[in-house]
Amino acid sequence: MGLGVITSKTFLCLLSLIYLASASGLFYVALKVILTYRQYAEFLGNYYVTLPAVVILFIAVIMLIIGFLGCFAIVQESSFGLGCFMFLTSIIFAAGITGLVLGLIYKDKIDPELDENMNKLFQEYDGKSPQSSAVDFLQEQLQCCGVKNYTFWHNSTWQIAIKNNSVPYSCCRKNATNCTGNLTNMEKINTAGCEDVLETLVHKVLEYSLFVILGFAVLEFFGLISICVITCRGSRNGYQLL
């Protein structure tokens, strides 16, 4: 058995174990992206933010299958198993590249839509509607106030209606006591705008997803090369059509 075959088989064994171990991690990453989208769906608008997550979920399921299949093919020295392993690896490699491209394409489309949706929802704030609850949730979770900053509320329809110098209670700092939202106590109010904070969060999650996809695409590429090496020389090493 040549050094190339031994090296390739060793790499495929490790790759199969990586597939099995990483499937759970990929499920976590995908669910994190989806949950982030669901929490802020009113502001993010279209679902394309979750496209990389859908791709990652698909890859995770396939990884569970090919992880077991790869171990079987190497242990049993099955050329049929290696063929299936190569086929499935090719699928997730293509899916990963597709997810990477889609993520890069739609990444720059997030900010304009986020700005439009956020301004619309904040302008509709009245403290009672479901949209208002979404705004309050956003401000409490991200510890922010207003779209660009807290001054957004100065000329808002909500401010005009209540006619006092204050911001919603959800603008209060997390540990502030006796906070009423009144701007005379600025030390108790979050002043940073929500748009920049949410943009940073969404981009961070999306970039993390793309990084994961890219990392596995590299592993899969070398896995395909290893399969080719074993397949080309497999007839000399007793591989069976199992």
Side-chain angles (χ1 to χ4, degrees):
M1 185 180 296
L3 179 61
V5 174
I6 295 175
T7 303
S8 297
K9 289 183 68 173
T10 302
F11 180 80
L12 285 182
C13 285
L14 292 175
L15 184 61
S16 297
L17 294 176
I18 290 173
Y19 280 152
L20 293 174
S22 300
S24 58
L26 290 178
F27 277 118
Y28 170 78
V29 172
L31 290 176
K32 184 176 178 63
V33 175
I34 293 173
L35 289 175
T36 299
Y37 171 79
R38 290 188 62 182
Q39 284 182 323
Y40 308 113
E42 293 87 351
F43 305 97
L44 295 174
N46 288 335
Y47 64 88
Y48 52 67
V49 178
T50 63
L51 285 176
V54 174
V55 173
I56 290 176
L57 278 176
F58 173 76
I59 291 175
V61 172
I62 300 298
M63 274 187 171
L64 286 175
I65 298 173
I66 66 175
F68 287 112
L69 182 60
C71 292
F72 168 80
I74 297 300
V75 172
Q76 297 295 324
E77 296 191 339
S78 167
S79 58
F80 175 76
L82 276 179
C84 293
F85 187 81
M86 183 174 186
F87 174 72
L88 293 175
T89 300
S90 299
I91 290 178
I92 64 171
F93 177 75
I97 296 300
T98 301
L100 186 64
V101 172
L102 288 175
L104 292 174
I105 290 175
Y106 290 116
K107 182 180 177 182
D108 294 332
K109 296 185 179 181
I110 295 175
D111 295 352
E113 187 159 342
L114 177 62
D115 180 72
E116 179 182 348
N117 291 332
M118 185 169 285
N119 274 288
K120 179 181 178 182
L121 285 172
F122 272 67
Q123 286 291 353
E124 294 174 352
Y125 184 89
D126 60 8
K128 302 175 183 178
S129 65
Q131 292 88 345
S132 299
S133 298
V135 171
D136 285 331
F137 174 81
L138 180 74
Q139 294 189 144
E140 289 172 359
Q141 290 294 310
L142 301 184
Q143 289 293 283
C144 56
C145 187
V147 179
K148 299 297 183 182
N149 54 52
Y150 76 98
T151 60
F152 167 86
W153 296 107
H154 287 175
N155 298 314
S156 65
T157 53
W158 175 79
Q159 180 68 260
I160 295 172
I162 64 171
K163 298 178 181 179
N164 64 25
N165 188 33
S166 64
V167 293
Y169 295 130
S170 54
C171 284
C172 292
R173 293 182 184 275
K174 195 169 187 178
N175 298 319
T177 56
N178 301 319
C179 178
T180 62
N182 196 294
L183 293 178
T184 57
N185 297 315
M186 287 299 299
E187 70 278 1
K188 297 181 179 181
I189 303 296
N190 292 305
T191 58
C194 295
E195 184 175 346
D196 288 341
V197 178
L198 184 55
E199 281 180 2
T200 300
L201 174 63
V202 172
H203 280 288
K204 183 177 180 180
V205 172
L206 184 58
E207 287 169 3
Y208 181 53
S209 301
L210 296 179
F211 178 77
V212 170
I213 292 175
L214 178 61
F216 277 98
V218 172
L219 286 176
E220 290 151 11
F221 176 74
F222 284 107
L224 291 173
I225 293 177
S226 298
I227 294 172
C228 290
V229 171
I230 295 174
T231 302
C232 291
R233 302 183 182 181
S235 58
R236 306 175 188 175
N237 298 292
Y239 270 73
Q240 304 296 321
L241 293 173
L242 298 178

